[in-house]
Amino acid sequence: MRPIRSALLLLATLAASLLPAQAPTEGDAQLRDFRFQSGETLSELRIHYRTYGTPRKDASGVVRNAVLILHGTTGSGAQFMGPAFAGQLFGPGQPLDAATYFIVLPDGIGHGKSSKPSDGLHARFPRYGYLDMVEAQRRLLAEALGVTHLRLVMGTSMGGMHTWLWGQLHPDGMDALMPLASLPTQIAGRNRAWRRTAIDAIRQDPQWLGGDYKTQPGSLRLAAQMLWFMSSNSVLRQAETPTLVQTDAALDAFVARYTKTADANDVLYALEASKDYDPGPGLEKIKAPLLAVNSADDLINPPELGILEREVRRVPKGRAVVLPLSPETRGHGSHTVAALWKDLLVDLLKRSERP
């Protein structure tokens, strides 16, 4: 494993040197009178975002180079700024070169620096779902950034699920779609079970106090443990922590880091948001070329289910690739290791070029 890790470190160092020359621009869009699917409203919903590059319009005034990249559950757009992602994709001559594309990295509702329960409303924050998150993304683009058409929509995990929804809710709104580490079906089976375990632990915790706790309830630790458990693969975990003591130490270290900044209500809402995700009935509506990429060692979306291969056939221009287990894959976390799949992205961009 040491030669492989040394090679990965070298690649990461080289990738860092290819990061975009300029830091991203950050901003906040205030979406007024935002109405949620539940019927609840916020007079102002804040959506934080980061952008690389400059929007470029065609002769009719439509931005044609915008790329929307969507993060996973409890993440934020900041997760795409490091060498494993931005260093592989956004630099000079890379697939999403910021000198060519206008890259938009939003923080979803309830995540990052966007409006979320921990801002003050706690459990009185509106119940949001994935449909609300996609609508907020659309309004951010249209109202704050002047973008009504996307060259590419791509996302990881929850963001991958949002990508499937974008394709069917706005079928004429993009040239290409690339969902990563996701399935085009309702959350069920083991995927629902691990979420439900964390949800119930928080809601049934006496320290939760209906969401009005003053200090983080102990159940936040269990939620963090579940995230650690589901995010990698068994081979890597065994190699990194081959003894009981090492495993306990690694798990404790992750939980300690996670609980320093995480909030139980924010995690609870983020996990519950997946309840309205059900793209299956609308897959035939997707018009743009779509390339779905999963990995064989993903515990959340295991390939043996056969769901991805079956359902992608319903997408008129759909294709699916499952990356085999390798020393470089990271289970569910393979979605952010762009070196594993960036050649597939290049192919998708070529296939979806406008005449």
Side-chain angles (χ1 to χ4, degrees), residues 53-68:
T54 304
R56 292 189 175 86
K57 298 179 180 180
D58 63 13
S60 62
V62 176
V63 175
R64 292 293 179 184
N65 68 330
V67 173
L68 177 66

Side-chain angles (χ1 to χ4, degrees), residues 15 17 36 61 123 159 226 265:
S17 68
F36 295 80
M226 291 301 299
N265 280 331

Side-chain angles (χ1 to χ4, degrees), residues 75-286:
S76 74
Q79 72 188 57
F80 300 121
M81 294 167 55
F85 200 93
Q88 292 282 337
L89 299 180
F90 302 165
Q94 294 180 337
L96 297 176
D97 188 338
T100 300
Y101 294 98
F102 178 53
I103 301 162
V104 183
L105 311 173
D107 292 351
I109 300 173
H111 292 70
K113 298 179 183 179
S114 293
S115 294
K116 52 188 178 293
S118 62
D119 289 341
L121 289 176
H122 306 296
R124 293 176 294 281
F125 192 84
R127 298 287 163 193
Y128 67 86
Y130 285 5
L131 295 174
D132 298 312
M133 299 179 86
V134 170
E135 174 60 11
Q137 294 155 10
R138 185 198 65 79
R139 287 188 57 181
L140 160 70
L141 292 167
E143 297 175 18
L145 301 176
V147 173
T148 57
H149 187 89
L150 292 158
R151 176 64 182 90
L152 171 71
V153 181
M154 68 183 298
T156 63
S157 191
M158 177 181 72
M161 292 186 271
H162 290 175
T163 302
W164 291 100
L165 292 176
W166 262 95
Q168 59 188 252
L169 293 172
H170 308 289
D172 297 311
M174 73 288 299
D175 297 332
L177 298 149
M178 190 173 184
L180 294 128
S182 63
L183 292 175
T185 191
Q186 192 177 70
I187 301 293
R190 184 166 63 190
N191 196 359
R192 172 58 177 167
W194 79 264
R195 295 167 189 266
R196 174 70 186 274
T197 299
I199 289 168
D200 286 355
I202 295 172
R203 284 199 172 278
Q204 295 174 15
D205 187 342
Q207 297 178 335
W208 183 57
L209 299 175
D212 287 326
Y213 47 84
K214 302 303 180 184
T215 59
Q216 293 297 324
S219 51
L220 181 60
R221 288 183 55 85
L222 186 141
Q225 290 169 337
M226 291 301 299
L227 289 168
W228 186 87
F229 177 74
M230 298 299 294
S231 62
S232 187
N233 69 51
S234 56
V235 176
L236 185 61
R237 290 290 191 223
Q238 188 68 26
E240 292 179 337
T241 57
T243 69
L244 184 149
V245 171
Q246 289 173 312
T247 303
D248 284 353
L251 180 58
D252 289 344
F254 174 85
V255 171
R257 290 193 303 272
Y258 188 85
T259 54
K260 279 183 179 178
T261 56
D263 176 83
N265 280 331
D266 292 346
V267 173
L268 174 67
Y269 270 70
L271 292 172
E272 289 187 331
S274 63
K275 288 183 70 173
D276 71 347
Y277 177 67
D278 190 12
L283 293 179
E284 286 85 0
K285 297 178 182 178
I286 298 174

